Amino acid sequence: MTPGRLVRRFDFVLVTAVAAILAYSYVTVRSVTGPITTRHHITYVAVGAVLGLVLVVVDPRLYRRARWPAFVVLIGALIVVLGLAAARGSSRWIHLPGFDLQPSEIGKVVVIVVVAAWVAPRAQERPGAWSTFLLGLCLVGGPAALVFLEPDLGTAIVYAVACLSVLYVAGARLLQLLAFAGVIVGVVVLVFSVLPATGIHLLKPYQVARLTAFRDPGSSGPAAYQSQQSKNAIGSGGIAGKGVAGALVSNAGFLPEEHTDFIFAVVGEQRGFLGAAFLVLLFAVVVWRAVRTITLAASLYESLIAAGIAGMLVTQVFVNVGMTLGIMPTTGIPLPFMTYGGSNTVTNLLAVGLLLAIQVRGAIPDPPPFAGRVREPSVSTMR
Amino acid sequence: MLAGNERRPPREPRPQSPQLTVRVALFGAIAVVLFGVLFFRLWVLQVLSTDRYQTEAAASRLRTVQVVASRGRILDVNGKVLVENRPGDAITFDLAADSIVGTRCAVMAPRQPPDPAPPTAAEMKVLLHGLKGKARTRRREAILARYRPRPRPRPWRGCAAANVAIGRLAALSRTPLTVFEDRIHAATIRSPFQPVTLVADASRPLMFYLKEHAPEFLGVHVAKRNVRFYPYGAVAAHLFGEIGQFTADDLKRPGVYPGATSGDVVGHSGIERTYDRWLRGRDGTLNVQVNAQGVPQGVATLLPAPIAGDDVRLTIDIDLQRAAEVAVRDGIRMARAGVAGLKQPMRHAARGALVLLDARTGAVRAMVSYPGFDPNRLVGHGSDAYVAQLYRDAADAPLLNRAADGIYPPGSTFKPVTAIAALESGVLRVDERIHCGPFLVVDHQKYKNYEADTNTDLTLRPALSQSCDTYFYELGRRLYDRTTGNGSFQPQPLWMRRLGFGAPTGLDIPDAAGVAPDAAYKKQLFGHDPINDRWTSGDAVNASIGQGYVQVTPLQIATLYALLANGGTLVTPHLGARVEDSTGEVVRVLRFPARRTVAIQPYVLDTIRAGLVGVTHDATGTAVSAFAGFAVPVAGKTGTAQKPPLDDFSWFVGYAPVDRPQLVAVCVIEQGGFGGVAAARAVREVLAKAFAVTATGGATGTDGRPIAVDAVQAANAIRLGDWTQPGAGG
């Protein structure tokens, strides 16, 4: 890889969009928190950006070798978190000197790479095989289950959707996806109505309350309260927004988790429809570039990584923004690049680095006439 | 930099392009739809309905805080304060400090069908049919066990376990954590974002500890709350009752608490409950702009302002009440000491009751139930342990108001009822002499006289004075003979009910109905038992002297003698006198019209009164020694009620002054033996206080006028009335 090629194929649109979102994030976090938190935030972004840029120059294919050790380390870290949680009460973090690591966040990228690496050769040999589909799901099932037990239902859902995106792009058949959807519906019915009726409660009562509160906006209770306050904040923002000083709901502290899970509501109140819609547009651009990367990738393996990342980003954005808008249940899913938090910011910037790395090694847009090397031929089935 | 690395794994061939393209296109389409949904929703919220949300955002910043109205006081008849408020230190927890606790404790319990009602007494008879002794007891317990209230599911249990501050507070205040969790749960249901009161009235050491360790108790605050305070301690404690949170159960009883809403403090028993609508006052609302932590921002408006509750003035005279409590204790001490007049020391005498009633109006001047309790300990810290201790003491039952809610066999104090029934039914003439022997045989059954060595003929007046049992057995037999075969006319039960037995008296705090037994009662009691389910001559004979199935409250006996004293009016006993606001202005005078006037011929009343005067004045009267030399002429009746296997219950009831009766006093001392000693002594003591009897023999009526000596002569005039013939030994 030549530096020239790296620059020529560098996705400035993606980087610009991400940078714009980060700028939004900086302004918003600073407006609702103090200077110390803001400084932490900048540090996280800087670390994430550097690590992401480092990823650009590493060939993604290298990670295939490290996939199993990485997977084992991830599982181990998640088990450690669970063990600590059992000892100390609910927690998602491992406290390390200098910072708190949230393994389930970093795990998003690890899981995507591992599943992509595992699925790619099998999808190549037998496209649409049931065994690939089912074993792929099982592969992500382990870490997802551990994350669910933390308890962090939101992140477990992100794992599942990212894995499903990988399997879909790898050629999963419609029947397989429908079967999976059927199983999910079955599990939801089981967990929410059948098992409670027989006295088994898999979900914590507060999780059930959160997950069902959005269906019944008139109900009282903390979950409905959060959702109502969030809608009040966004709705009262109007078209042009109330500015930082005028954002009463945010400033009076009615919004829970206003610099993390509900940061979009703060943007909605401060910047109004114009600002919030523009932010959603920036996310759409990021997702667009991620989806585009699927088609640009040089190999199926890299395509699948891109697909997983795209799925991960879409899920996070839709569930988080949807939650603040009152159309999705209240789950603790962060908004990528916006939410304050080290592990999450670094993870998403690493994902962007991966996308860039895949793009610069991509197959298609290698503009002539300076191409130093011949494009690898795509192999037809007639080979 | 890795471009030329040979160790790089080979790339797989590209997949089939068209298929991938379709899939990616579909993927993108889904993403477009999802983003479209977000845009649309944003548009709806921020452009279409922004007005609505701007209003709601402003509203949620406006916090309305309930400003609790101070509860009215309870005063005695002279305006002395019996119940008032004192500031207490409440410990609250702010759920904003730990949203996890708030969320978890807000979980609702699944709905549960109500518990099935246990079988009634009659149904139980059928279920136990054919069983005897231990087997019967076992079967009964097995059946009742099935109807024991099921424990309510509490899915919020453990919801506060993760919070260190609450856990430590539970340990420090010696309260089970589950109690705190229940309180948090109840509070989250009421209003999710107001502080929860965990401890209503904290002890001083706990307060100091919390202040010193404030940083370790995140979300724990101390707030001043009004707590009930009883300046006279245990005096009259049974009457006031308790206050507590307005509960879901209270909601089901409309009319008891008009205007009360969730979160209000209402009276749950006693005076506090009966007069709750006046005592409660109306809470105010403080409207204040707050941030999410509840910290006020800007100006607060108090709209509406709280209205303090009105005071309730009782008919109780606290000095008389205190004297009455001392009198009951003295009576018990006398019984235990075994003074002259008692066959042996009554070692089991420990409990008793006394009522002092205005004979004309039914106003209660004193109402004592002994043993009692300290209401101040019921509201303060450590109340849970105190309540448990009170309930553990099942034999003494200190929380029971024996004077109005305790049921007893009345013994000989019931004899005037039999006399009235016999005279009014025409089975007895006042001048008729009936043999008073050591026993009477009715239907082959021998009924013994309490006094075994009498053998004389008596008219009614001396029969009452000497309390001859066999005389009244004969009346019971005659009344039984008048009972019609189908039970449509039963003179004896009819007169019991007319004179107020078998039904609550209408007192303004709960009182028991007692039992005025008749054929229907026995039918109900014995169900389908064909031998025992009818009214027998034995029942009539036993009832004639206030034994058998007859059960009364001391208050019912007091109203009976008030009726005898006032000439036939069955008064409604009451504790409430009037309602006044905090400045003393009368808001409402509480009126208690008499239940009814019972038509009794004057000669009947006069004969009975003469008999009652004889009790305390004749040489053979049963209470003559107890009232010897008493400055106020008293007419009364002793009672020595049997309740095997317990020792006899000591009764005395009397009214005074004899010629224009003002007060009725009744005392019962459980297992106190002969009525002419312990109970009579207690009544004399309380009447001496009530009439301000001095050492020189002077006495003052309740109207403030001195009781003249000629009142005694007037009493004698009644006693020696010319339409009666003095009985033997009169």
Side-chain angles (χ1 to χ4, degrees), chain A residues 1 61 64 168 172 228 252-253, chain B residues 3 8 11-12 23 56 292:
Chain A
M1 163 109 22
R61 283 169 295 175
R64 308 178 92 169
Y168 166 70
Q228 187 59 47
Chain B
R8 185 194 326 175
R11 292 183 188 275
E12 300 94 355
R23 281 177 181 268
E56 288 198 11

Side-chain angles (χ1 to χ4, degrees), chain A residues 1 61 64-65 124 168 172 205 228-229 232 234-236 238 252-254 268 272-273 277 297-298 302 325 376, chain B residues 3 7-8 11-14 23-24 26 34 39 41 43 45-46 50 53-54 56-57 60-61 107 193 291-292:
Chain A
M1 163 109 22
R61 283 169 295 175
R64 308 178 92 169
R65 300 174 157 227
Q124 213 77 49
Y168 166 70
Q228 187 59 47
Q229 293 297 346
N232 285 351
I234 295 173
S236 65
F254 280 101
F273 178 71
E302 286 157 301
L325 295 175
E376 284 179 54
Chain B
R7 291 172 63 224
R8 185 194 326 175
R11 292 183 188 275
E12 300 94 355
R14 294 284 299 153
R23 281 177 181 268
V24 172
L26 205 59
L34 293 179
F39 276 116
R41 179 71 180 165
W43 171 264
L45 284 181
Q46 298 197 294
T50 184
Y53 285 106
Q54 273 170 359
E56 288 198 11
S60 77
R61 292 191 62 234
V107 180
F193 295 93
N291 66 11

Side-chain angles (χ1 to χ4, degrees), chain A residues 24 237-241 267-268 271-281, chain B residues 39 42-43 46-47:
Chain A
Y24 250 110
I239 294 179
V267 173
R271 312 287 164 203
F273 178 71
L274 297 179
F278 186 65
L279 180 57
V280 174
L281 192 67
Chain B
F39 276 116
L42 257 183
W43 171 264
Q46 298 197 294
V47 180

Side-chain angles (χ1 to χ4, degrees), chain A residues 123-124 127 168-171 291-300 303 363-365 375-382, chain B residues 12-26:
Chain A
Q124 213 77 49
Y168 166 70
V169 173
V291 172
R292 180 173 169 271
T293 310
I294 303 173
T295 57
L296 295 186
S299 67
L300 179 60
S303 281
I364 298 160
R375 203 171 75 199
E376 284 179 54
S378 53
V379 179
S380 75
T381 46
M382 309 259 309
Chain B
E12 300 94 355
R14 294 284 299 153
Q16 258 189 329
S17 231
Q19 197 201 4
L20 184 73
T21 312
V22 169
R23 281 177 181 268
V24 172
L26 205 59

